[in-house]
Amino acid sequence: MARLRTCSLTWAALIILLLPGSLEECGHINVSTPIVHLGDPITASCIIKQNCSHLDLEPQILWRLGAELQPGGRQQRLSDGTQQSTITLPHLNHTRAFLSCCLNWGNSLQILDQVELRAGYPPAVPGNLSCLMNLTTSSLICQWEPGPETHLPTSFALKSFKSRGNCQTQGDSILDCVPEDGQSHCSIPRRHLLLYQNMGIWVQAENALGTSMSPQLCLEPMDVVKLEPPMLRTMDPSPEAAPPQAGCLQLCWEPWQPALHINQKCELRHKPQSGEASWALVGPLPLEALRYELCGLLPATAYTLQIRCIRWPLPGHWSDWSPSLELRTTERAPTVRLNTWWRQRQLDPRTVQLFWKPVPLEEDSGQIQGYVVSWRPSGQAGAILPLCDTTELSCTFPLPSEAQEVALVAYNSAGTSRPTPVVFSESRGPALTRLHAMARDPHSLWVGWEPPSPWPQGYVIEWGLSPPSTSNSNKTWRMEQNGSATGFLLQENIRPFQLYEITVTPLYQDAMGPSQHVYAYSQEMAPCHAPELHLKHIGKTWAQLEWVPEPPELGKSPLTHYTIFWTNTQNQSFSTILNASSRGFVLHGLEPASLYHIHLMAASQAGATNGTVLTLMTLIPEGSELHILLGLFGLLLLLSCLCGTAWLCCSPSRKNPLWPSVPDPAHSSLGSWVPTIMEEEAFQLPGLGMPPITKLTVLEEDEKKPLPWESHNSSETCGLPTLVQTYVLQGDPRAASAQPQSQSGTSDQVLYGQLLGSPTSPGPGHYLRSDSTQPLLAGLTPSPKSYENLWFHTSPLGTLVTPAPSQEDDCVFGPLLDFPLLQGIRVHGVEGLESF
């Protein structure tokens, strides 16, 4: 039977198929080496034998590394008829993998043969080789560091040999010591050792890719001996032995029995049990003595102690630290200074309250177990009467009538401190002035004053809650030794939002000044609640509000301002800020028949508090009021229209552009209008200068065309001269100055134009147009025709003379003088027109 192995995605699902028949193994893999350096190439070949008759004549050989197909196989037929496929893997990056030679068999991939490939590194050189001689087990224990992982099976062996010199010559070999798998230490038993003879020791590491050896270590086993630590214990009390001094410990130890014959030295370390102090080292300890007194420690303090030893003066290794021993130092008498302060009870002046505070004079001043207040009567020598014995920092006792001074001492099991005298003096010193206090933060108060003159020796400052509560009736106090101080920051027993009573008393030599008191809050609070809003009056678009301010409270910061908020149904919010003295406010600009929510906020430097919400609705406008409003609006619109019409009709500048004002000749007053000047003056040409010309317009004389009335009856019309004279269509300047208003009732005197010319000049006349926009009587063109002007002759001397009257002149002058408008025409300014 032939056994075919099937490749699958995972080797755990590899199925071995046994096919019936007389098949032998068809394929075989040969590799150059099954173990290589990680990342090196590897070459393999697969040969299919000729006796596999069930295979195709040219079967295709496939390669798989793990679960992945590997391309690049080169297949060929050998001379003996076998098929060979060769593949080279350029980089083997797997530390362990299976290489398989496969064929397609039916619908599956069948394995013909497979080999295991390994990749890794050669062993590194072992380092840090060290050995210790353990007298307990009588063996030499050596340890080392194996180095980085090789990914290959690596064996270690501790090799050694005996040598009489400095390990330059190798003597008898010692059996290799092979450690257990995964361990990097090994022990050489005592039977293979010579304790006082040199021996060479090294570690050899070996795997399939190479071998490495550590540097050789040359030593004597006894030079690397490691002793076991001694056992610490306390000394048994002895009546003959003196008790230990304060801050000292007496201890002893028992050495390790196997090392009694070995010279050694020891050292001690200790640290307090409380806190996180580091170890303090003491040593070397005396060789002969097995006991020691350790001093310089804190009194009444528990300590932890350990000891270790080493072979000395010969080479060796320190033993491990011994198990810990816990001891407590003895106490010492308190070395403190007691600051005292006293006061008498108001109801019973002979009852004294004495207060004190210990001030350490040294770093280790000793633990205090209690205090004693005593009095020595003057008549009894050596008699001391105790007045108070307490563990507190105050005491209340009745003072004997003859007692003026008492003594205070602190004590413990080791003794008492120096007595502190307390003299009950009267208050006869000057008092300090301007005592004040203020809060610095929620947990501190600053108290200041002006020192009296002369300066005191110090001050006593007391503070406590006011009024004092049953749970905290005791006041806190301290003594300020600087007599020139002007203030002190209180930080002890200060809680926020509390009222404190602070008392400052100056201290003098054998006297004290009167006490001064001041009250202060450690931190003021915001107002508890805001005033309640009340609606006083309301209208359609306004609402008048009022409130009653809250009375001031102790511990509450004074108000700085109010803020009133109102919100409509559209969730639009409005606000305004008012002074703290405000008692009411009027909301304007509200919508009629609208709902509003209003609340008041009271604010101080410590915070703000909102009041209750007031909801109100503005009034609804009545129907009659709507009618009145609409009527007033309509009347106002009518008056505006009438005023606009009157303005358009009465203003000439606005009326003329709309409809020109053309007078009716039949009802005109021109017929009755007669100028103030005489008729003979209208045609006299006095030698007047030419009037000033504001605007000069030169026009070409139009070609004479017959008028419509000239074509009907030429005999009834007089012929007009072709040359025109100079004329001025204007009123008489003298009449204008003498009569501001004309007789015809016209308000303004209108200047129409001035035509300049000469009857003897060959060229046409020149017309000066006026700037006036007043319309003429008829719809004539602005430029006058030749027959509409008077014309004159020029004398040889250059002056204008009136020609003699003739029939033709009568036709011109006679009928024309009947027109009142022409009577105002005056001809002048002809003297300077020769240049035209």
Side-chain angles (χ1 to χ4, degrees), residues 38-190:
L38 191 63
D40 284 357
I42 189 171
T43 302
S45 61
C46 180
I47 299 176
I48 299 178
K49 298 180 180 180
Q50 196 177 18
N51 58 357
C52 292
S53 58
H54 61 284
L55 299 178
D56 297 336
L57 295 179
E58 296 292 336
Q60 184 180 3
I61 302 174
L62 302 177
W63 292 91
R64 291 185 76 120
L65 182 64
E68 298 179 358
L69 287 174
Q70 299 293 323
R74 300 180 303 276
Q75 185 172 339
Q76 62 180 348
R77 178 179 289 274
L78 301 180
S79 59
D80 57 356
T82 59
Q83 294 286 338
Q84 181 182 15
S85 177
T86 304
I87 189 172
T88 299
L89 302 178
H91 304 285
L92 183 59
N93 296 322
H94 302 277
T95 58
R96 184 175 183 179
F98 287 91
L99 181 63
S100 304
C101 172
C102 305
L103 287 176
N104 281 321
W105 181 267
N107 296 327
S108 62
L109 198 64
Q110 304 297 326
I111 297 177
L112 300 180
D113 195 11
Q114 67 177 4
V115 294
E116 181 182 9
L117 302 180
R118 300 291 297 267
Y121 302 102
V125 176
N128 292 335
L129 175 62
S130 61
C131 298
L132 296 175
M133 183 63 193
N134 191 337
L135 296 182
T136 303
T137 59
S138 298
S139 61
L140 183 66
I141 303 174
C142 298
Q143 60 182 3
W144 60 90
E145 293 182 0
E149 177 63 36
T150 61
H151 305 291
L152 295 174
T154 303
S155 62
F156 293 89
L158 181 64
K159 295 181 174 295
S160 59
F161 63 89
K162 300 176 183 179
S163 176
R164 294 189 177 275
N166 295 328
C167 302
Q168 299 296 328
T169 58
Q170 183 174 353
D172 297 337
S173 297
I174 301 176
L175 187 65
D176 293 346
C177 180
V178 179
E180 297 181 2
D181 292 340
Q183 294 184 355
S184 57
H185 60 84
C186 195
S187 300
I188 302 176
R190 173 68 179 84

Side-chain angles (χ1 to χ4, degrees), residues 389-554:
D389 187 351
T390 180
T391 58
E392 304 294 333
L393 297 178
S394 63
C395 182
T396 302
F397 55 90
L399 184 67
S401 57
E402 65 273 14
Q404 299 295 326
E405 179 180 340
V406 296
L408 174 67
V409 294
Y411 67 88
N412 58 16
S413 59
T416 61
S417 65
R418 278 189 180 181
T420 301
V422 181
V423 180
F424 300 100
S425 58
E426 298 181 357
S427 300
R428 59 177 183 267
L432 50 86
T433 58
R434 295 188 180 182
L435 181 64
H436 59 279
M438 61 180 298
R440 285 290 181 90
D441 54 62
H443 298 280
S444 66
L445 284 171
W446 169 261
V447 56
W449 60 83
E450 286 188 3
S453 180
W455 282 355
Q457 293 182 350
Y459 302 91
V460 173
I461 308 167
E462 296 178 278
W463 66 95
L465 294 176
S466 179
S469 61
T470 57
S471 61
N472 191 12
S473 58
N474 293 332
K475 289 187 176 182
T476 305
W477 69 279
R478 68 162 296 136
M479 183 175 290
E480 177 59 46
Q481 301 289 343
N482 185 9
S484 61
T486 59
F488 188 76
L489 183 63
L490 308 178
Q491 295 178 304
E492 185 181 356
N493 295 334
I494 300 295
R495 294 181 297 172
F497 310 115
Q498 300 294 332
L499 178 62
Y500 286 89
E501 179 186 8
I502 305 172
T503 305
V504 181
T505 305
L507 301 179
Y508 301 93
Q509 182 69 30
D510 298 332
M512 65 180 180
S515 301
Q516 301 293 327
H517 306 271
V518 69
Y519 295 87
Y521 275 95
S522 56
Q523 184 180 13
E524 294 180 334
M525 294 184 293
C528 296
H529 50 272
E532 185 178 358
L533 282 175
H534 299 282
L535 179 63
K536 188 175 183 181
H537 299 290
I538 191 169
K540 303 174 186 62
T541 60
W542 58 274
Q544 184 178 2
L545 307 174
E546 64 178 3
W547 59 87
V548 178
E550 297 292 333
E553 301 180 41
L554 290 176

Side-chain angles (χ1 to χ4, degrees), residues 230-296:
M231 295 296 295
L232 278 175
R233 61 181 181 87
T234 58
M235 291 182 60
D236 297 330
S238 174
E240 296 82 10
Q245 300 179 1
C248 292
L249 289 175
Q250 292 180 351
L251 65 152
C252 62
W253 60 90
E254 294 179 2
W256 184 45
Q257 293 297 327
L260 289 177
H261 63 283
I262 300 177
N263 294 330
Q264 51 186 305
K265 67 177 180 180
C266 303
E267 61 184 12
L268 187 72
R269 68 176 183 178
H270 61 85
K271 70 174 181 178
Q273 291 184 4
S274 60
E276 297 180 356
S278 58
W279 290 97
L281 193 63
V282 178
L285 301 180
L287 299 178
E288 299 84 5
L290 298 179
R291 61 179 60 195
Y292 185 72
E293 185 176 15
L294 180 63
C295 293

Side-chain angles (χ1 to χ4, degrees), residues 701 704 719-725 759 786 791:
E701 183 180 2
K704 175 131 180 100
L720 296 177
T722 58
L723 297 176
V724 296
Q725 297 294 332
S786 59
W791 59 279

